[in-house]
């Protein structure tokens, strides 16, 4: 485990504040949010040690958060979701690599907007290429963060990039994309590069059905009713052939539908475990150690709403802090959930930028200065002056 940058070390004083936010989507990355909050706190209480530990839940921004906390950040050229070349990053610490699917195969990697065509043909091949590069760099364990994908190919592209062969009835490779899986006749895994994988995801959807990858997430990727039907058929065929050729059925397992079915491929072909992303990231950051002696934790994300309660980063941070008996304050761009409900999840107080600036567009455009202002208020309200004992 690494020590979070600026983390709690021998010689640090009791009573530090931990700033552990996720990104504010469309505005600031998690490290940028953490830096702004820390600046606001220090403006009011320069005597209080501040530890910045930007976090993520396995989706977009996971690699950036880990690199900000001391992981090595590496880049490589990979295949984008529709065959377009992209430069993607991953993070490493010792023999552990953290791969963020959104870096290689995410919606933001499409050269244009998502369409019905991209929904049918988008591939996870770039994610497989990231894993292969990480293994060549010495990775012996992969944390695979799933979220924000452009693909609904069941992880077929990822497997192909790692050496598996997905063949049609004539022995030809099946083309990229989930719809083409309808032609799948055989899976050859003799040359598949295998590595232990832990899936970081807060999605518990199965592969198929009304809560499956195609029907729930397909519309976000440009799929209409016809495309969803084709993608569902392709994923069903993939599941059928995988069950026949490998003797494993993971169709209904928790997380199989994550990232367009990439979770399914990780479960079946790598024997992966699926865990809430924020729990894994906090373990990687040795967050429990940082909590020792802390007086306050500040977490947050762009929007705190009902989805936040489904295992998103602020709730994960609050659970860890609750176990250490450290109070938690949350910040967000906007807050659309009752504060009493948040208290049930370990968040003692919650603040939103919209309390300072009512125009959401201004909040997005000027989130940095507003966060500093919000942090100054938090420091005044929650960091009463008290003797600080040296360790």
């Amino acid at each position: 485990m690494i020590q979070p940058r600026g983390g709690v070390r021998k010689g640090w004083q009791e009573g530090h504040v931990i700033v552990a936010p996720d990104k504010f989507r469309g505005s600031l990355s998690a490290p940028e949010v953490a830096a702004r909050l820390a600046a606001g706190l220090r403006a009011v209480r320069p005597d209080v040690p501040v530890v910045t530990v930007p976090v993520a839940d396995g989706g977009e921004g996971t690699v950036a958060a880990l690199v900000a906390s001391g992981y090595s950040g590496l880049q490589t050229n990979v295949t984008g979701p529709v065959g377009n070349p992209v430069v993607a990053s991953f993070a490493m610490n010792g023999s552990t690599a953290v791969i963020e699917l959104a870096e290689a195969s995410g919606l933001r990697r499409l050269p244009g907007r998502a369409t019905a065509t991209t929904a049918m043909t988008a591939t996870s091949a770039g994610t497989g290429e990231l894993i292969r590069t990480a293994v060549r760099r010495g990775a012996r364990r992969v944390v695979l963060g799933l979220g924000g994908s452009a693909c609904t190919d069941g992880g077929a592209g990822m497997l192909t990039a790692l050496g598996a062969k997905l063949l049609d009835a004539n022995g030809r490779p099946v083309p990229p994309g989930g719809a083409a899986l309808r032609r799948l006749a055989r899976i050859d895994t003799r040359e598949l590069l295998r590595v232990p994988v832990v899936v970081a995801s807060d999605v518990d959807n199965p592969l198929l059905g009304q809560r499956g990858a195609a029907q729930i997430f397909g519309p976000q990727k440009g799929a209409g009713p016809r495309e969803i039907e084709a993608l569902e058929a392709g994923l069903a065929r993939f599941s059928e052939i995988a069950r026949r050729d490998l003797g494993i059925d993971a169709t209904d397992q928790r997380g199989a539908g994550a990232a367009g079915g990439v979770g399914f491929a990780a479960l079946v072909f790598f024997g992966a475990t699926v865990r809430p992303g924020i729990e894994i990231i906090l373990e990687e950051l040795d967050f429990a150690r940082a909590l020792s002696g802390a007086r306050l934790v500040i977490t947050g994300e762009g929007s705190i709403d009902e989805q936040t309660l489904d295992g998103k980063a602020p709730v994960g941070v609050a659970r860890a802090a609750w176990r250490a008996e450290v109070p938690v304050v949350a910040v967000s761009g906007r807050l659309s959930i009752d504060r009493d409900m948040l208290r049930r999840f370990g968040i003692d107080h919650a603040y939103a930028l919209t309390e300072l600036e009512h125009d959401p567009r201004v909040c997005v455009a000027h989130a940095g200065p507003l966060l500093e202002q919000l942090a100054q208020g938090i420091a005044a309200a929650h960091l009463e002056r008290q003797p600080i004992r040296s360790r």
Side-chain angles (χ1 to χ4, degrees):
M1 296 297 180
I2 63 170
Q3 176 64 37
R5 182 173 296 172
V8 183
R9 301 182 292 267
K10 185 177 180 181
W12 273 70
Q13 295 175 313
E14 293 277 5
H16 61 281
V17 175
I18 300 174
V19 179
D22 199 348
K23 64 186 175 297
F24 277 39
R25 188 184 299 277
S27 186
L28 297 173
S29 67
E32 290 170 334
V33 174
R36 290 288 192 163
L37 290 170
L41 294 174
R42 290 173 178 137
V44 175
R45 292 298 307 274
D47 58 310
V48 175
V50 177
V51 180
T52 58
V53 188
V55 299
D57 60 8
E60 186 177 340
T62 295
V63 167
L66 290 172
V67 170
S69 290
Y71 270 57
S72 298
L74 301 99
Q75 290 186 325
T76 187
N77 297 310
V78 299
T79 303
V82 290
N84 52 309
V86 301
V87 179
S89 300
F90 64 99
M92 285 194 69
N93 179 45
S95 61
T96 293
V98 178
I99 307 292
E100 179 186 322
L101 176 137
E103 270 289 303
S105 313
L107 282 166
R108 66 187 180 90
R109 293 303 195 180
L110 290 172
R113 67 182 182 88
T115 66
T117 299
T118 62
M120 297 277 273
T121 60
T123 174
S124 57
T127 300
E129 292 166 7
L130 277 179
I131 294 173
R132 186 178 62 202
T133 300
V135 171
R136 288 175 177 170
R137 295 289 187 99
R140 296 295 176 264
R141 172 179 175 264
V142 169
V143 175
L144 178 59
L146 301 185
S149 72
C151 56
T152 311
D153 70 344
M158 176 183 72
L159 296 171
T160 300
L162 290 170
K165 295 181 174 63
L166 278 66
L167 308 171
D168 64 17
N170 297 313
R172 295 189 295 250
V174 173
L181 291 171
R182 292 174 294 180
R183 295 186 243 163
L184 182 65
R186 184 166 64 88
I187 302 172
D188 183 348
T189 61
R190 287 174 294 180
E191 297 180 17
L192 177 64
L193 177 64
R194 301 180 189 273
V195 60
V197 172
V198 179
V199 170
S201 174
D202 59 0
V203 171
D204 61 1
N205 301 68
L207 181 67
L208 304 173
Q210 294 184 348
R211 294 186 60 252
Q215 296 197 40
I216 294 295
F217 304 113
Q220 302 171 7
K221 305 171 187 182
R226 292 177 60 184
E227 291 77 32
I228 290 172
E229 182 179 356
L231 292 168
E232 179 81 4
L235 294 175
R237 180 64 175 172
F238 190 23
S239 174
E240 176 189 349
I241 300 302
R243 183 168 56 248
R244 185 199 70 191
D245 290 359
L246 281 77
I248 300 173
D249 184 4
T251 306
D252 295 324
Q253 285 193 36
R254 176 188 176 277
V262 173
F264 170 80
L267 287 164
V268 171
F269 294 87
F270 300 113
T273 55
V274 180
R275 295 179 55 204
I278 184 60
E279 290 185 7
I280 296 174
I281 300 307
L282 292 180
E283 287 180 6
E284 293 297 317
L285 294 172
D286 203 1
F287 192 66
R289 182 182 177 192
L291 284 167
S292 177
R295 65 191 292 181
L296 181 69
V297 171
I298 302 175
T299 186
E301 62 180 349
S303 178
I304 292 182
D305 49 32
E306 291 288 346
Q307 292 186 5
T308 302
L309 305 182
D310 293 330
K312 294 290 187 180
V315 167
V317 170
R319 285 172 177 163
W322 179 82
R323 288 191 291 269
E325 299 183 343
V326 180
V328 177
V329 168
V331 298
S332 61
R334 65 185 185 93
L335 178 65
S336 58
I337 190 169
D338 186 83
R339 285 178 170 84
D340 288 336
M341 177 63 72
L342 289 176
R343 291 187 186 98
R344 299 179 192 175
F345 285 81
I347 296 174
D348 300 286
H349 299 274
Y351 302 90
L353 299 187
T354 52
E355 296 169 354
L356 302 176
E357 169 55 60
H358 296 303
D359 188 340
R361 293 170 298 181
V362 176
C363 288
V364 171
H366 300 283
L370 288 170
L371 280 167
E372 289 192 29
Q373 185 179 345
L374 201 62
Q376 290 173 19
I378 291 171
H382 297 279
L383 297 181
E384 71 283 358
R385 294 188 178 274
Q386 63 185 39
I388 298 178
R389 296 180 292 106
S390 296
R391 287 184 182 275

